[in-house]
Amino acid sequence: QVYLVESGGGLVQAGGSLRLSCRTSGINFSIARMGWYRQAPGKQRDLVATISNDGSTNYTDSVKGRFTISRDNARATVYLQMNSLQLEDTGDYYCQTTWKGRTWWGRGTQVTVSS
């Protein structure tokens, strides 16, 4: 069974930082492409960032220069460092991967940015 467990969310003031973690099990993490998605209240779930097994990364335009996705293969964990947080970053953040033809999601961690 594949498990993705997010942590690190919380309440933060605008301009602040948070670091999200997603611990995985049941996959060969070192070859898996990992992604972070977020879902703002009342909106669809959108891609935030991805990291491939070779460490190459992609970001949605709104977070470029503020967020950094990284991975620790020894810990089978992917991270999302979020700096200069803005009100629009509020939402539930989900870890995602595709493994053996199926897409897997964590349960999410909530991020609330206050003014």
Side-chain angles (χ1 to χ4, degrees):
Q1 184 69 0
V2 176
Y3 292 99
L4 307 176
V5 181
E6 302 95 337
S7 61
L11 174 64
V12 63
Q13 285 191 326
S17 298
L18 283 174
R19 187 194 195 205
L20 306 184
S21 299
C22 172
R23 179 171 51 85
T24 74
S25 61
I27 63 172
N28 187 344
F29 182 83
S30 63
I31 64 172
R33 182 171 183 261
M34 303 298 301
W36 283 99
Y37 287 71
R38 70 182 172 196
Q39 187 166 16
K43 296 188 177 181
Q44 66 181 20
R45 192 174 297 184
D46 291 325
L47 177 67
V48 175
T50 62
I51 185 165
S52 299
N53 59 346
D54 63 359
S56 59
T57 59
N58 280 291
Y59 299 90
T60 191
D61 286 346
S62 63
V63 308
K64 286 180 180 177
R66 301 188 298 120
F67 290 12
T68 302
I69 188 171
S70 61
R71 64 191 298 154
D72 184 337
N73 289 341
R75 290 181 169 82
T77 300
V78 61
Y79 304 97
L80 186 67
Q81 177 67 44
M82 307 187 295
N83 298 328
S84 302
L85 282 161
Q86 303 170 356
L87 298 179
E88 309 83 76
D89 296 317
T90 292
D92 293 321
Y93 283 70
Y94 297 89
C95 181
Q96 179 263 354
T97 191
T98 299
W99 184 252
K100 293 187 177 180
R102 177 178 169 179
T103 298
W104 299 87
W105 296 91
R107 292 190 172 185
T109 185
Q110 188 174 57
V111 172
T112 302
V113 183
S114 65
S115 59

